[in-house]
Every structure is written in structure tokens, then in C-alpha cells.
Amino acid sequence: MLEIKDLHASVEGKEILKGISLKVNPGEVHAIMGPNGSGKSTLSQVIAGNPAYEVLSGEILYRGQDIQEMEAHERARAGLFLGFQYPVEIPGVTNIYFLKNALNAIRESNGEAPLDAYEFNEYLLQKMDEVGMSHELTRRAVNSGFSGGEKKRNEILQLLVLNPRLAILDETDSGLDIDALKTVAGGVEKFRNSENGVILVTHYQRLLDFIPPDFVHVLIDGKIVLSGDSKLALELESKGYNWVKEEEYAG
Ligand code: ADP
Ligand code: MG
Ligand code: MG
């Protein structure tokens, strides 16, 4: 589904990603962990196509096709989803309008008929019930005046409504409290199936207590220095990141 080969990328002229290779198959959950400033959010933004980030070299293959020439909205239509660490507010655009248009754009690119207002409403209310979200929030402008918890729930609602092929959730540094952790975890567990993939970016191991990943990758200074299974996350929790650095330099 996704294959990244020796990716180098910069922001504001500074090289941040220094040779990343990563392969995500359908059905897999990959956790990207690493100390602050190691490039985790940069990696998420580069995959999603944020134009502020420049790819210097390497390949990003999505379903076998290099997506570097595709703009962010084209990648989204093709089934890539980036959850925002700090969800944006869109005043004047209601949640229901935003989601219906986003979903129908994806359906159109898959050759599926758009949902009409009635069909979409039924579908949306069902998804809102799944994430335990008040139906009243559909009429509010996207994220405007939402509490932190409501924004997080809204991000997960977007994930379940749009049902992308590959979801990248950047939860780093967002100081998730226990309720938000459970919201994210519950949403990912509902989303997770044999056909889609998840890249879960997180600074902390505790999110992974709720979402057991298939693979854990440690990103330090723009490189994946170690990969393993969920046991690696536990090891990082007890030993921190310094021992990884020492092993890397020793090796
Ligand atoms: P992480 O998510 O692992 O904490 P980031 O990807 O946010 O790391 O940041 C990696 C490095 O890139 C940091 O040194 C950060 O200051 C820099 N960086 C990221 N985004 C920008 C930006 N838009 N402008 C300038 N520097 C940036
Ligand atoms: Mg950071
Ligand atoms: Mg980050």
C-alpha cells in the first residue's frame, strides 16, 4: 500500500528527513516513535503532501504509484488521510457540509455515486453514534469552539466517515488526556481492518497500550534507527531513547 524509499526531505532549507525507508501493507498498524524534534510530524506532512515540505530525493509509492506530483487534496481523494495534531477550525463551514463534500469527492474518484443529503445524513448519524458524538455538532462550523475532547472526537469521526485506505494519525505532543486516548484508540480499532493501514505517530508508549501496533519504528534525527514489534514500545517506555542512540552509534 505504501512504500517509502530512502526519503530525504527539508523544511525551510534544512534537511529533516535523512533517508527514511518504510513499507506499510494493508491490515498493518505501524507506530512511529521517537524523541521530540526527530522528524515524526515532518514525515507525516511529507506523506500527506504539505507543500511547505520539500522532498530532496527518494520515492513515496502509494499503491504502486509515486505520489510526489500529487497535491494534498488529490492524495486525500485517493484515500490518504492525515489527522491533525492541532485540528484546524473552519469558520462558516458546517461539519456536515465539510464531511459530505469530502466523502463524495472520494466516492467520485472511486467511480461511486455520491450520497444525497438524506443518505449522507443517515450515514453520518450512525458514525457519530459510533464515536459517541452529539448530533448537534454536525450543524456547528468545523471545530469552531469545540473543546479539546470534541476536536479529537471530530478527527476520529472524519476518519470513520471518510474511511481512507491509509490513515496517518499524528498524536505527538498533543498532551492527550485519558479520555482523548480512549477516543483515538476506539476509533482506530473500529477503523482497522484487513484492507486499510494505519501509521500512528506518537511520542508516548501509553497510546500503544490501547492500540497494539504490528510494527514499531524509532525515528531519531531524521532516520529510522530501529524497528520491531510492540515489545519495542514497552522497552522504550522503560529505557527511554538514549539506549537506542547508543546502540546505533555502537553499531
Ligand atoms: P517531531 O514531530 O518528531 O517532534 P518535527 O517533524 O515536528 O519533529 O520537527 C523536526 C525538525 O524540523 C525540528 O527541528 C523542527 O524545528 C523542524 N521543523 C518542522 N517543521 C518546521 C517548519 N514548518 N519550519 C521550520 N522548521 C520546522
Ligand atoms: Mg514535536
Ligand atoms: Mg510532532
Side-chain angles (χ1 to χ4, degrees):
M1 166 139 51
L2 182 76
E3 188 170 8
I4 297 175
K5 294 183 187 171
D6 198 22
L7 179 68
H8 293 250
S10 67
V11 60
E12 311 225 320
K14 184 177 157 210
E15 186 172 347
I16 306 292
L17 302 183
K18 301 171 180 168
I20 302 268
S21 295
L22 176 69
K23 204 170 171 178
V24 180
N25 294 306
E28 294 176 351
V29 175
H30 290 248
I32 309 274
M33 302 183 74
N36 230 322
S38 59
K40 303 181 299 296
S41 295
T42 300
L43 177 62
S44 312
Q45 296 291 341
V46 169
I47 299 170
N50 182 334
Y53 297 80
E54 191 192 352
V55 173
L56 303 171
S57 62
E59 287 178 84
I60 308 173
L61 303 174
Y62 173 64
R63 308 183 79 212
Q65 189 196 340
D66 199 317
I67 56 171
Q68 284 180 58
E69 298 306 315
M70 289 166 75
E71 287 183 38
H73 70 273
E74 296 172 315
R75 299 184 198 195
R77 256 190 265 142
L80 270 170
F81 174 94
L82 178 64
F84 293 99
Q85 201 167 334
Y86 302 104
V88 284
E89 299 189 6
I90 316 179
V93 177
T94 60
N95 226 5
I96 190 164
Y97 178 88
F98 173 80
L99 286 170
K100 178 166 171 281
N101 279 281
L103 177 66
N104 280 337
I106 292 170
R107 290 177 66 90
E108 193 183 327
S109 81
N110 287 338
E112 294 165 334
L115 297 184
D116 66 25
Y118 179 79
E119 291 165 326
F120 180 73
N121 200 49
E122 293 291 293
Y123 175 73
L124 180 61
L125 295 182
Q126 179 204 325
K127 298 294 177 191
M128 292 186 99
D129 290 342
E130 282 181 23
V131 292
M133 198 166 169
S134 158
H135 291 184
E136 180 255 334
L137 292 177
T138 56
R139 307 290 162 194
R140 300 249 301 266
V142 179
N143 287 326
S144 284
F146 284 26
S147 69
E150 284 170 343
K151 283 184 181 174
K152 194 39 73 182
R153 233 174 259 284
N154 207 35
E155 178 190 322
I156 295 305
L157 178 69
Q158 288 173 8
L159 172 71
L160 294 180
V161 167
L162 301 180
N163 191 29
R165 284 202 178 84
L166 180 64
I168 304 165
L169 301 173
D170 187 349
E171 306 299 338
T172 319
D173 306 334
S174 53
L176 297 185
D177 60 22
I178 194 76
D179 291 334
L181 276 179
K182 286 182 177 163
T183 300
V184 174
V188 170
E189 289 304 325
K190 284 201 176 79
F191 170 70
R192 194 173 191 173
N193 65 30
S194 62
E195 276 155 38
N196 53 38
V198 180
I199 297 177
L200 192 59
V201 175
T202 183
H203 187 68
Y204 301 106
Q205 197 275 330
R206 41 179 207 158
L207 182 57
L208 305 180
D209 287 339
F210 297 92
I211 309 169
D214 301 297
F215 299 94
V216 173
H217 309 280
V218 183
L219 187 63
I220 294 181
D221 193 20
K223 285 185 213 147
I224 290 176
V225 296
L226 195 59
S227 295
D229 60 17
S230 60
K231 288 197 288 291
L232 177 55
L234 293 170
E235 210 171 351
L236 291 166
E237 180 75 352
S238 62
K239 300 207 272 184
Y241 290 110
N242 282 335
W243 69 277
V244 181
K245 291 185 199 175
E246 283 154 18
E247 289 207 349
E248 188 210 355
Y249 297 137

